[in-house]
Structures are given as structure tokens and as C-alpha cells.
């Protein structure tokens, strides 16, 4: 059995009852908020309601298949795959130029195959050792948390609609976040309830937040009533005709390289939380699994997937790292891709409630990045390697639309993803600034 550290309530290899793993798996599904990237994409490229729903269902299916591939066969860490935010800017740009999602999926397939070959060749092990040491991976983790945090507020909390004012949504997010923090820490003071409060804190917070929204008149069940029990996601070859375009392929290959830096940072974050170091062999297997997962996602009509740092945040909060939980989460994703009624239930959770949980999780992710680098000897070199990428990331989060539009098309693809640029800058800074003698 894997050594369990003092922060874990349930270890990685620990077997837990089916019913418990089912509920805990759903907890990760609810907190991961995987429908956000396809929702953003569908809105940006003006997909019809039917096509948008199909894309979201395909995203669930791709996430479930890719998660099973990684958890059971390759990476074997307690982490789920979900749609990455990194490629969104590039995907939107490619679609606007071709008006065909098949071109996006074709480029994604080529990039995924390249990632698989990179893993099998063992080259990525060399890349990680030479280009992604602890200071870079820790910085990338911090960048992911920092980049996602504004969307938790702007897209989920500072909004109005669905019968709620902006002030009510802020209050709703505050109630949810407070509930999450309260129940995740309450067990430290009431030993009798430590296990149940800690491992269920996310679901308890979502339930309290949703009930509060209902009392405020902001919980609408009409979408649940209208949704059909069974519906098909949009699939490649059946619903999209595949196309290969060289500029789109080159763009996606660049995006995939940055995606690997992001997902490697996530692996190190999870590794740090569960206190189990990553081996070179495990990293290479993870790269192969990442490529196969992205290939599977493309074939079912979804965008590229990546390991979710959210899982590391939830493991930190709940202390549950059992791999069985993540297998169940994978099956939840697959089930949701075909069961429209269940998808509607999850989608009916008010945005401010999701934002309350998501904001706490983003901070946990950012601090997990700090945990990776905190034991390093900090000289001026380390300050620049960490600080300059964070500076670029913040700058791109607030870049004016007209300035972005004035850049060359390929550059627009990149600056549309602050995580991608931040990761590249961190890698470059680490190689450019010489070590002190």
C-alpha cells in the first residue's frame, strides 16, 4: 500500500465503499466546472443551442474517457482530465478563419499523435529535466491558479440574471465559500465528525449555496424539467467532417507543447499534495496517456484535455486521494454525456455557487504552486524566474481587445492564453538567467 501522509484522510491506494466513491467522484465532477470551456467556446463562435449542447456533452464524454486512460493505465495519479482553457484562444481563431470545427479537430488529432510519439520516445523526460525543474513547474501551477481566479469572479460572481441581482450573487458566493472553508476545517476541532465534514465539504457547500439561491428565488428548475433523459453528444465523422490545414496544425502543435507544461505542473501539484514524488517513467507514461486522451477527446468531438489542478485543490481540502474516487468521477463524466437530465441538474447549479467553490479552489491551486517552490534557495535569479511570468500573465489578463487584435494571427492565438504565455516565459527565464557560481 502506498505510504499515506499526515494530510490525507484516504490514501491513493485505499479501497473505499462503492457508494462513498460514487458521491466523492461526483464532488470532483461538480467542482471541476468542465462545461465552462465548451460554453465559452460555443458562445464565442456563436454555435446554435443544439450544437452548443452537443459540444458540452462531447466534452463530458472526452473528459471521462481520457480520465480513465490516465487513472487506470498510464499516469495512475488521483487526477481527472478535463477541457483545457489554454487552447481556447487558438481554437476560436482557427474556427473564425475556417468556420469549421472539423479543422480544429483535425489539427488536434495531429497534435495528439505527436504528443504520444513524444512520450514513447522518452524525449519528454529530457525536456522535463532540462526545461521544467521545480521552480518552473511551481510557477506554472501558480499561474494556473492566478489565471483562473478572475474568471471565478467575473464570469460567475460579479453577474446578474436568473432572478438575482449582482449583490445577491456576491452574497451567494460568500455563503458557499464560507461553508466550504467552515466544513473543511471543522473536523480539525470536532474529531467525531472530521472524516465526514472534510471529505464532503465541497458537496455540502454546493448544497448550502444552491438552497440559499432557492430561498432568494435564483434556482430555476425549468431546464431540468425540459431536458430529455437521453441524448447523444456531437461526434467526429458523424456530426463533423474532418479537415487538415497546415497553419491550424502548426498552431495546435505549439499549443500542445504548452499544454504539456501546464499538465506537468498539475502532476507535480498532485504529487506534492499526496507526498509521492513523480518518477521519470511515470512522467513519460503520463505524456503517452495525455496524448491518447487528447486523441480520444478529438474523436468524440471535444477539445484538448489536460489534468485539472482543481483535483489537487479538492484533495488538499478533503484529504481524499483514493484512485477509486477518480475512476467513479470518470464514469460520472461518461454518464453525463448521454444523460441530458443529469447534465441539466449540474448545469442548473447557480453560477455564483460554482464561483464560490471555484474561487477557493483557485487559491488552493496557487498556494500549491508556492508549496513546490518554497524550499528553494531564493536569490535574485529565482525572484525573476517566478515574478516575470506572473507579470506577463497579469498583463495578458487585462490586455485591451484592440491591442490584441492588432497582433499577427499566430500571436493572437498565443496571447489569448495567458497560461500558455506565462509557461513559455517561465521556461525561457530559467534557461536565460545563469546559475550563480
Amino acid at each position: 500500500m502506498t505510504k499515506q501522509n499526515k494530510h490525507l484522510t484516504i490514501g491513493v491506494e485505499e479501497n473505499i465503499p462503492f457508494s462513498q466513491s460514487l458521491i466523492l467522484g461526483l464532488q470532483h465532477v461538480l467542482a471541476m466546472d468542465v462545461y465552462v470551456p465548451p460554453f465559452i467556446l460555443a458562445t464565442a463562435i456563436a454555435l446554435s443551442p443544439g450544437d452548443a449542447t452537443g459540444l458540452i456533452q462531447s466534452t463530458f464524454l472526452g473528459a471521462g474517457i481520457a480520465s480513465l486512460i490516465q487513472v487506470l493505465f498510464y499516469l495512475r495519479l488521483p487526477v481527472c482530465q478535463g477541457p483545457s482553457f489554454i487552447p481556447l484562444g487558438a481554437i476560436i481563431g482557427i474556427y473564425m478563419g475556417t468556420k469549421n470545427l472539423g479543422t480544429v479537430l483535425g489539427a488536434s488529432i495531429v497534435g495528439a499523435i505527436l504528443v504520444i510519439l513524444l512520450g514513447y520516445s522518452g524525449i519528454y523526460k529530457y525536456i522535463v529535466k532540462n526545461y521544467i525543474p521545480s521552480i518552473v513547474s511551481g510557477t506554472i501551477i501558480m499561474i494556473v491558479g492566478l489565471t483562473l481566479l478572475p474568471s471565478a469572479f467575473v464570469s460567475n460572481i460579479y453577474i446578474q440574471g436568473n432572478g438575482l441581482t449582482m449583490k445577491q450573487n456576491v452574497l451567494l458566493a460568500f455563503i458557499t465559500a464560507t461553508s466550504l472553508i467552515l466544513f473543511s476545517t471543522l473536523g480539525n476541532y470536532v474529531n467525531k465528525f472530521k472524516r465526514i465534514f472534510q471529505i464532503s465539504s465541497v458537496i455540502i457547500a454546493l448544497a448550502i449555496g444552491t438552497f440559499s439561491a432557492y430561498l432568494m428565488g435564483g434556482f430555476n428548475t425549468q431546464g431540468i424539467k425540459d431536458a430529455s433523459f437521453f441524448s447523444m453528444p456531437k461526434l467526429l465523422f458523424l456530426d463533423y467532417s474532418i479537415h487538415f490545414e497546415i497553419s491550424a496544425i502548426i498552431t495546435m502543435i505549439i499549443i500542445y507543447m504548452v499544454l504539456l507544461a501546464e499538465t506537468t505542473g498539475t502532476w507535480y501539484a498532485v504529487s506534492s499534495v499526496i507526498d509521492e514524488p513523480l518518477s521519470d517513467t511515470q512522467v513519460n507514461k503520463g505524456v503517452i496517456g495525455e496524448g491518447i486522451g487528447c486523441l480520444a477527446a478529438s474523436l468524440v468531438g471535444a477539445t484538448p484535455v489536460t489534468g485539472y489542478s482543481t483535483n489537487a485543490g479538492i484533495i488538499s481540502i478533503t484529504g481524499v486521494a483514493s484512485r477509486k474516487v477518480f475512476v467513479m468521477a470518470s464514469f460520472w463524466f461518461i454518464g453525463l454525456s448521454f444523460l441530458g437530465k443529469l447534465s441539466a441538474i449540474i448545469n442548473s447549479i447557480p453560477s455564483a455557487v460554482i464561483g464560490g467553490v471555484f474561487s477557493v479552489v483557485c487559491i488552493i491551486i496557487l498556494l500549491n504552486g508556492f508549496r513546490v517552490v518554497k524550499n528553494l534557495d531564493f536569490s535574485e535569479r529565482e525572484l525573476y524566474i517566478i515574478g516575470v511570468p506572473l507579470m506577463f500573465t497579469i498583463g495578458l489578463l487585462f490586455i485591451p481587445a484592440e491591442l490584441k487584435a492588432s497582433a499577427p494571427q499566430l500571436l493572437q492565438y498565443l496571447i489569448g492564453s495567458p497560461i500558455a504565455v506565462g509557461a513559455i516565459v517561465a521556461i525561457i527565464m530559467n534557461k536565460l538567467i545563469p546559475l550563480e557560481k
Side-chain angles (χ1 to χ4, degrees), residues 41-57:
L41 178 59
T43 304
I45 63 179
L47 289 182
S48 67
D51 288 341
T53 300
L55 178 61
I56 291 172
Q57 288 181 271

Side-chain angles (χ1 to χ4, degrees), residues 68 103 154 159 184 196 225 245 248 280 288 305 314 344 352 406 423:
L68 284 177
T103 304
V154 176
I159 59 173
S184 65
I196 185 65
K225 295 175 183 176
E245 185 180 285
D280 292 342
I288 297 169
V305 294
I314 296 173
S406 66

Side-chain angles (χ1 to χ4, degrees), residues 11-44:
V12 176
E13 302 295 344
E14 190 170 341
N15 191 21
I16 59 177
F18 174 81
S19 58
Q20 191 176 8
S21 63
L22 196 66
I23 295 298
L24 294 175
L26 178 61
Q27 183 169 255
H28 279 273
V29 170
L30 293 174
M32 283 175 68
D33 212 6
V34 299
Y35 64 85
V36 172
F39 177 79
I40 293 172
L41 178 59
T43 304

Side-chain angles (χ1 to χ4, degrees), residues 171-185 205 208 356 360:
L171 177 60
L172 204 54
F174 177 78
I175 291 171
T176 306
T178 302
S179 300
L180 174 58
I181 296 169
L182 173 65
F183 284 100
S184 65
T185 58
I208 291 174
V360 175

Side-chain angles (χ1 to χ4, degrees), residues 374-389:
K374 70 176 183 178
N375 293 325
L376 298 173
D377 292 328
F378 272 71
S379 65
E380 191 171 0
R381 176 181 186 272
E382 282 70 30
L383 292 177
Y384 282 126
I385 292 173
I386 296 171
V388 173

Side-chain angles (χ1 to χ4, degrees), residues 51-341:
D51 288 341
T53 300
L55 178 61
I56 291 172
Q57 288 181 271
S58 294
T59 299
F60 278 125
L61 182 57
I65 295 172
S67 296
L68 284 177
I69 289 169
Q70 282 286 45
V71 174
L72 291 178
F73 305 109
Y74 288 95
L75 184 63
R76 293 182 61 79
L77 277 179
V79 60
C80 278
Q81 302 290 104
S84 175
F85 285 81
I86 284 178
L88 286 182
I91 290 172
I92 292 168
I94 292 170
Y95 180 87
M96 290 303 185
T98 62
K99 300 298 180 184
N100 192 336
L101 270 176
T103 304
V104 174
L105 297 175
S108 298
I109 287 173
V110 175
I113 292 172
L114 181 64
V115 171
I116 295 170
L117 295 175
L118 200 60
Y120 272 114
S121 68
I123 295 174
Y124 192 68
K125 178 174 64 176
Y126 168 82
I127 294 174
V128 170
K129 279 188 172 181
N130 288 275
Y131 294 94
I132 315 178
S134 296
I135 189 168
V136 174
S137 63
T139 302
I140 293 172
I141 297 167
M142 285 190 278
I143 286 170
V144 171
L146 179 65
T147 303
L148 296 181
L149 188 58
S151 69
F153 286 93
V154 176
S155 302
N156 292 284
I157 298 175
Y158 296 148
I159 59 173
Q160 58 186 14
N162 297 322
L164 296 177
T165 65
M166 188 180 297
K167 289 182 179 179
Q168 286 176 311
N169 276 318
V170 171
L171 177 60
L172 204 54
F174 177 78
I175 291 171
T176 306
T178 302
S179 300
L180 174 58
I181 296 169
L182 173 65
F183 284 100
S184 65
T185 58
L186 195 58
N188 294 326
Y189 304 98
V190 186
N191 288 333
K192 183 179 178 181
F193 300 107
K194 179 174 182 177
R195 188 179 179 93
I196 185 65
F197 280 160
Q198 190 175 14
I199 67 179
S200 305
S201 54
V202 174
I203 280 188
I204 292 172
L206 289 171
I208 291 174
T210 302
F211 182 68
S212 300
Y214 171 76
L215 295 179
M216 294 179 188
F219 181 57
N220 188 358
T221 60
Q222 191 59 47
I224 301 173
K225 295 175 183 176
D226 293 341
S228 59
F229 280 96
F230 179 84
S231 58
M232 286 291 293
K234 296 278 186 179
L235 303 175
L236 186 62
F237 301 117
L238 292 179
D239 300 287
Y240 306 113
S241 57
I242 190 169
H243 293 278
F244 297 100
E245 185 180 285
I246 187 64
S247 61
I249 290 171
I250 292 173
T251 300
M252 288 306 294
I253 287 174
I254 295 172
I255 293 296
Y256 267 114
M257 294 304 100
V258 179
L259 194 66
L260 280 178
E262 178 208 21
T263 199
T264 303
T266 296
W267 300 344
Y268 280 107
V270 174
S271 171
S272 174
V273 169
I274 65 175
D275 197 22
E276 291 184 16
L278 278 175
S279 66
D280 292 342
T281 301
Q282 196 172 12
V283 169
N284 265 351
K285 285 185 176 180
V287 172
I288 297 169
E290 185 87 2
I292 296 174
C294 287
L295 178 61
S298 299
L299 293 175
V300 299
T303 55
V305 294
T306 185
Y308 259 43
S309 298
T310 308
N311 299 139
I314 296 173
I315 293 172
S316 293
I317 293 169
T318 64
V320 179
S322 173
R323 191 180 293 114
K324 190 174 180 180
V325 169
F326 293 85
V327 172
M328 290 304 167
S330 304
F331 283 121
W332 271 112
F333 281 131
I334 294 172
L336 287 168
S337 69
F338 295 100
L339 300 177
K341 190 72 76 175

